[in-house]
């Protein structure tokens, strides 16, 4: 089993930055096989892919709408992944969910088996 706990959401002005954290709990053997990602709701989709990578941090993938503004990273010593969000716009307002799977990296929410409770990000204009 994998447990995920997000934090770091809040209210920020447009153009500002936030860093989200996702603390992961799993057996040590599972960590090296995990794919982790961030999702948020979008019109017509329950949860839309934002960014993701394997636990090693290799080959991060980003949605076109956030590429160049958001950065996904990990601190393996803390079993935590981060989403650094810069140049935020009101369109980035959403609940952000951390997700994990033992399957290969995917942008499809249905490939992910473990979800956090979400953290609210609100960007004012």
């Amino acid at each position: 089993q994998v447990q995920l706990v997000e934090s770091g959401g809040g209210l920020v002005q447009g153009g500002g930055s936030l860093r989200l954290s996702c603390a992961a709990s799993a057996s040590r053997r599972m960590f090296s096989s995990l794919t982790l990602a961030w999702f948020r709701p979008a019109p017509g989709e329950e949860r839309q892919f934002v960014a993701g990578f394997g636990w090693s941090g290799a080959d991060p993938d980003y949605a076109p709408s956030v590429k160049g503004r958001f950065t996904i990273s990990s601190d393996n010593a803390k079993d935590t992944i981060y989403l650094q969000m810069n140049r935020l716009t009101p369109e980035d307002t959403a609940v952000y969910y951390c997700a994990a799977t033992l399957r290969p990296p995917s942008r499809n929410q249905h490939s992910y088996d473990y979800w956090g409770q979400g953290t609210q990000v609100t960007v004012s204009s």
Side-chain angles (χ1 to χ4, degrees):
Q1 291 295 318
V2 179
Q3 293 184 322
L4 304 169
V5 180
E6 303 99 330
S7 60
L11 173 65
V12 64
Q13 274 195 323
S17 298
L18 277 176
R19 188 178 79 159
L20 305 183
S21 301
C22 174
S25 299
S27 67
R28 184 52 51 189
R29 185 170 61 89
M30 288 182 72
F31 269 111
S32 62
S33 302
L34 283 177
T35 293
L36 296 114
W38 291 93
F39 285 80
R40 66 187 183 188
E45 294 183 76
E46 182 181 355
R47 289 175 184 174
Q48 182 184 65
F49 176 82
V50 175
F53 61 3
W55 184 252
S56 67
D59 301 324
D61 186 26
Y62 297 95
S65 60
V66 307
K67 194 168 186 178
R69 299 188 299 124
F70 291 12
T71 303
I72 189 171
S73 63
S74 65
D75 183 336
N76 292 358
K78 296 182 179 179
D79 295 342
T80 299
I81 68 168
Y82 303 97
L83 185 68
Q84 177 67 45
M85 306 185 295
N86 298 328
R87 290 183 281 136
L88 286 161
T89 73
E91 288 69 36
D92 296 314
T93 295
V95 177
Y96 284 72
Y97 296 92
C98 180
T101 181
L102 293 173
R103 299 184 179 93
S106 170
R107 294 184 175 188
N108 188 332
Q109 61 170 328
H110 300 295
S111 294
Y112 292 80
D113 300 303
Y114 306 101
W115 293 86
Q117 82 287 352
T119 186
Q120 176 70 47
V121 171
T122 302
V123 185
S124 63
S125 57

